[in-house]
């Protein structure tokens, strides 16, 4: 009976979503360690992870694979669990953690709406404008960050295989 649980398709998607989320975190850490941001803190990390997550959700949504909803749900669960853990680590109490997670999830969906249009049109200048609007990024380096993000996204598109 227990063997059936391990062989379920949902578990395969969950494992794959976990790997993808770890890649998102790795790419974000690499970019955070460069000189693009004024300060490296929760907000700058949130912004980068949001950009990568929106890209993956958009790219995986466009590709046709059978259980994209399940896979995207697993990615979002990882994101929300990571938000919860990060906020708890920063000292937010158990009683108010839900309010903060909800606030950041709303922020994410707002960014999803904006970034979806940018990725749809593949507009480099809109990406630079978006990065400038964040006010966390040094404006002198926003085009360099956009270049690096574009390079990473093109590599991801070549490597990703969901089937």
């Amino acid at each position: 009976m227990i063997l059936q649980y391990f062989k379920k398709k949902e578990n395969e998607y969950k494992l794959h979503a976990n790997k993808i989320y770890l890649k998102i975190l790795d790419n974000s850490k690499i970019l955070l360690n460069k000189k693009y941001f004024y300060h490296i803190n929760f907000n700058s990390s949130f912004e980068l992870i949001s950009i990568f997550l929106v890209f993956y959700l958009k790219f995986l949504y466009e590709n046709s694979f059978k259980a994209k909803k399940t896979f995207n749900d697993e990615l979002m669960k990882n994101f929300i669990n990571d938000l919860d853990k990060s906020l708890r680590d920063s000292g937010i109490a158990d009683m108010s953690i839900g309010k903060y997670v909800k606030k950041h999830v709303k922020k994410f969906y707002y960014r999803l709406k904006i970034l979806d249009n940018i990725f749809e049109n593949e507009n480099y200048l809109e990406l630079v404008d978006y990065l400038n609007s964040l006010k966390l990024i040094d404006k002198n380096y926003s085009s360099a960050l956009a270049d690096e993000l574009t390079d990473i996204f093109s590599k991801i598109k070549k490597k990703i295989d969901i089937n």
Side-chain angles (χ1 to χ4, degrees):
M1 248 188 180
I2 257 182
L3 291 177
Q4 291 174 339
Y5 175 75
F6 290 115
K7 293 189 177 202
K8 282 187 174 180
K9 274 288 193 190
E10 293 87 24
N11 292 334
E12 289 179 32
Y13 296 128
K14 186 175 184 174
L15 290 174
H16 196 67
N18 291 343
K19 288 179 187 176
I20 294 290
Y21 194 74
L22 287 175
K23 287 180 186 178
I24 289 171
L25 294 178
D26 289 342
N27 285 328
S28 298
K29 284 179 187 175
I30 290 168
L31 292 178
L32 280 172
N33 290 329
K34 297 191 176 183
K35 58 188 173 189
Y36 301 128
F37 293 90
Y38 290 122
H39 303 287
I40 298 173
N41 56 20
F42 178 80
N43 291 329
S44 54
S45 176
F46 173 78
E47 295 298 341
L48 266 181
I49 291 171
S50 295
I51 291 169
F52 278 108
L53 186 58
V54 169
F55 175 77
Y56 272 99
L57 292 173
K58 172 79 176 148
F59 182 70
L60 297 176
Y61 181 75
E62 288 176 350
N63 283 345
S64 59
F65 82 100
K66 297 172 188 160
K68 59 186 161 196
K69 181 174 177 1
T70 305
F71 186 79
N72 287 347
D73 287 347
E74 289 298 328
L75 269 178
M76 285 304 297
K77 281 181 192 176
N78 286 337
F79 177 65
I80 291 169
N81 288 337
D82 189 27
L83 263 176
D84 185 82
K85 183 184 179 314
S86 298
L87 289 169
R88 285 179 195 276
D89 290 347
S90 68
I92 295 177
D94 287 342
M95 295 301 289
S96 60
I97 195 77
K99 176 175 69 173
Y100 285 95
V101 170
K102 183 178 178 181
K103 176 179 136 186
H104 281 85
V105 169
K106 282 184 179 183
K107 281 183 177 182
F108 171 77
Y109 280 114
Y110 175 75
R111 282 149 181 75
L112 176 69
K113 182 179 172 184
I114 293 170
L115 290 168
D116 186 41
N117 291 329
I118 292 172
F119 292 144
E120 181 75 33
N121 301 328
E122 294 183 12
N123 192 334
Y124 174 80
L125 294 176
E126 284 183 29
L127 181 60
V128 172
D129 288 342
Y130 172 75
L131 293 173
N132 282 331
S133 72
L134 294 178
K135 298 178 182 155
L136 297 168
I137 299 169
D138 189 345
K139 295 196 186 320
N140 298 326
Y141 299 117
S142 58
S143 60
L145 177 58
D147 288 338
E148 198 155 349
L149 284 170
T150 305
D151 289 343
I152 292 170
F153 294 155
S154 65
K155 290 176 186 175
I156 290 170
K157 280 184 179 180
K158 291 177 186 175
K159 287 182 181 179
I160 232 169
D161 182 24
I162 302 304
N163 296 327

